[in-house]
Amino acid sequence: MKFVVSSTEILGHIQAISRVISNKNTLPILDNFLFELKDGELVATASDLETTLITTIPLDASEGEGVIALPAKILTDTLKEFPEQPLTFEVDSTSLAVKITSENGVFSIVGQNGEDFPKLPEREESNLVNITVASEVLLKGVNKTLFATADDELRPVMNGIFIELNNNDLTFVASDAHKLVRYKRLDGRSEVESSFILPKKPASLLRNILPKEENPVLVEFDDKNAFFTLSNYKLICRLVEGKYPSYGSVIPTNNPFKLTIDRVELYNTLKRVSVFSNPASNLIKFELNQNELVVSAQDIDFSISAREKLMCQYEGEALEIGFKSVFLLEILQNISSANVVVALSDPTRAGLFLPYDNENADEDVLMLLMPMMINA
């Protein structure tokens, strides 16, 4: 088989799918891209057994049909060095030798038999659920929640994004038991009530390929796998098995004390003050009184401390509460409004972080952070 393709076009596509390939593959064939030439189209596949990403690469010309597995690292490293130009790939289906011809040179590599590449999982049509979601809704849902997922080997359900479909909205939830994010979209309704847990790796792959997508994404899932169909890409992944904890019971319903403050100002203050916190605990203390917030931190071991005052709007009683600065900074980074509202009740109960105004009338963002004990 033989095909001609633009060097930058093929590089863009294989770089996107190469993120799937694991450094510790159990099967040597998985260190390769699977190339399939059929009906004048080149379909490239990368997989780590649990996640598979497939892309269709437009060709300038092609002859014949066939499949071959090509070494991913050599191919990617070579293509990175080419300026924009047409490349001709000639594959000898008997010896599996591949000759890549550029304007000025010839490069020879040896592939492997494409038939040895793992087959794709089949859909279980009997319990398949499907929904069409706008690409920006899916991207926003993943972006808002991915940072809050856990790395917990004992509780694998916490290591993914919980996606819940119902008649009213589409909800994305992630939590690591210290922080929780719930992102709802009212414009993502489904006729069927269902849910699945999307693992972290495919979620970050979606975050990489969705910005270029203009059309709605078809999302299909059964008990074991999820299938995401985009214009030029198809992502298939094994789902996290298990039941996601009841996150609704963790969200406090009565946090009467409200703090409204400039998000960027608070973020910059935290960046400065957190330098002086104990590296083991990263404890930051908030002291709230009337319309003033005092942010402080100290590391007794090194006799260093910092304290900074900020003007704010505060409705509630005087309050002292501690938070882990690393988590607090992550939350503020992922809220997009100019001002942030912090709803509190007492130093032992979770604080809610909400955007003062949502970017979109159809979205509802809620972030929760558990407090830390303040040593008197």
Side-chain angles (χ1 to χ4, degrees):
M1 65 183 194
K2 180 179 176 182
F3 57 89
V4 182
V5 65
S6 150
S7 57
T8 48
E9 188 78 56
I10 189 171
L11 177 64
H13 284 264
I14 66 167
Q15 274 185 322
I17 65 170
S18 67
R19 294 166 191 264
V20 178
I21 298 171
S22 167
N23 297 329
K24 303 170 190 165
N25 276 323
T26 46
L27 298 174
I29 190 86
L30 295 176
D31 293 328
N32 295 262
F33 295 124
L34 178 69
F35 279 8
E36 181 175 9
L37 184 62
K38 194 175 180 183
D39 302 330
E41 275 189 338
L42 181 65
V43 177
T45 304
S47 178
D48 69 355
L49 284 183
E50 298 209 337
T51 307
T52 303
L53 190 53
I54 303 164
T55 183
T56 307
I57 305 169
L59 300 176
D60 299 338
S62 69
E63 276 177 33
E65 291 187 347
V67 289
I68 188 165
L70 296 181
K73 190 173 186 316
I74 292 176
L75 196 59
T76 312
D77 291 349
T78 310
L79 291 172
K80 273 183 197 167
E81 307 308 326
F82 281 116
E84 166 54 46
Q85 59 179 286
L87 298 175
T88 305
F89 285 70
E90 290 178 73
V91 179
D92 184 324
S93 52
T94 313
S95 64
L96 302 178
V98 180
K99 190 165 76 172
I100 305 168
T101 311
S102 68
E103 284 176 0
N104 300 319
V106 178
F107 305 82
S108 298
I109 53 176
V110 179
Q112 291 185 44
N113 189 343
E115 302 297 334
D116 297 339
F117 208 82
K119 298 290 176 271
L120 297 177
E122 296 290 325
R123 292 172 174 79
E124 286 182 24
E125 298 293 343
S126 56
N127 55 3
L128 191 71
V129 176
N130 61 61
I131 178 175
T132 304
V133 185
S135 56
E136 88 266 6
V137 170
L138 193 55
L139 177 61
K140 201 95 178 281
V142 169
N143 271 337
K144 288 285 183 196
T145 52
L146 189 57
F147 80 94
T149 52
D151 281 310
D152 190 341
E153 288 180 12
L154 299 175
R155 287 192 297 172
V157 290
M158 306 296 278
N159 300 345
I161 299 172
F162 180 59
I163 300 177
E164 197 172 26
L165 322 172
N166 60 42
N167 298 326
N168 303 319
D169 49 50
L170 174 64
T171 307
F172 299 79
V173 179
S175 176
D176 63 0
H178 301 287
K179 55 187 181 288
L180 178 143
V181 180
R182 186 195 68 197
Y183 178 75
K184 279 189 180 184
R185 283 300 289 234
L186 304 174
D187 53 354
R189 297 184 180 93
S190 161
E191 292 170 13
V192 184
E193 287 199 13
S194 192
S195 62
F196 64 95
I197 305 169
L198 179 66
K200 196 180 289 195
K201 183 172 177 177
S204 54
L205 290 167
L206 280 172
R207 187 165 69 171
N208 180 47
I209 58 176
L210 279 170
K212 302 161 195 152
E213 184 60 44
E214 292 171 3
N215 298 318
V217 178
L218 173 64
V219 182
E220 301 166 286
F221 61 95
D222 53 33
D223 292 343
K224 291 181 181 171
N225 300 294
F227 306 82
F228 296 83
T229 308
L230 290 77
S231 303
N232 286 324
Y233 293 93
K234 189 167 190 178
L235 176 70
I236 301 162
C237 65
R238 190 176 300 163
L239 299 175
V240 180
E241 289 179 28
K243 192 174 187 304
Y244 204 77
S246 173
Y247 64 88
S249 58
V250 183
I251 300 169
T253 49
N254 182 24
N255 274 18
F257 307 156
K258 299 276 192 295
L259 157 71
T260 308
I261 192 163
D262 183 291
R263 182 182 65 85
V264 176
E265 211 173 296
L266 177 59
Y267 181 83
N268 291 336
T269 296
L270 283 167
K271 288 286 274 186
R272 287 190 291 273
V273 174
S274 63
V275 174
F276 293 81
S277 66
N278 182 311
S281 68
N282 296 122
L283 174 65
I284 286 271
K285 186 163 81 172
F286 279 13
E287 293 169 63
L288 285 154
N289 204 348
Q290 294 170 336
N291 284 340
E292 186 179 85
L293 166 66
V294 177
V295 180
S296 61
Q298 62 174 352
D299 187 353
I300 297 165
D301 297 345
F302 290 95
S303 304
I304 57 172
S305 64
R307 182 183 174 87
E308 213 171 295
K309 276 185 193 175
L310 288 166
M311 295 307 292
C312 64
Q313 266 181 284
Y314 180 59
E315 300 159 28
E317 299 166 13
L319 179 72
E320 283 190 6
I321 189 167
F323 290 113
K324 193 175 180 77
S325 62
V326 181
F327 295 157
L328 197 48
L329 286 165
E330 279 185 320
I331 282 176
L332 292 173
Q333 222 171 355
N334 285 280
I335 290 176
S336 26
S337 65
N339 292 332
V340 63
V341 178
V342 186
L344 304 163
S345 59
D346 71 57
T348 60
R349 294 187 58 196
L352 295 179
F353 293 77
L354 312 161
Y356 184 71
D357 41 11
N358 284 313
E359 284 179 273
N360 187 317
D362 287 318
E363 71 178 13
D364 171 15
V365 185
L366 177 144
M367 303 201 183
L368 173 151
L369 183 58
M370 297 302 289
M372 290 179 74
M373 289 290 291
I374 302 171
N375 298 324

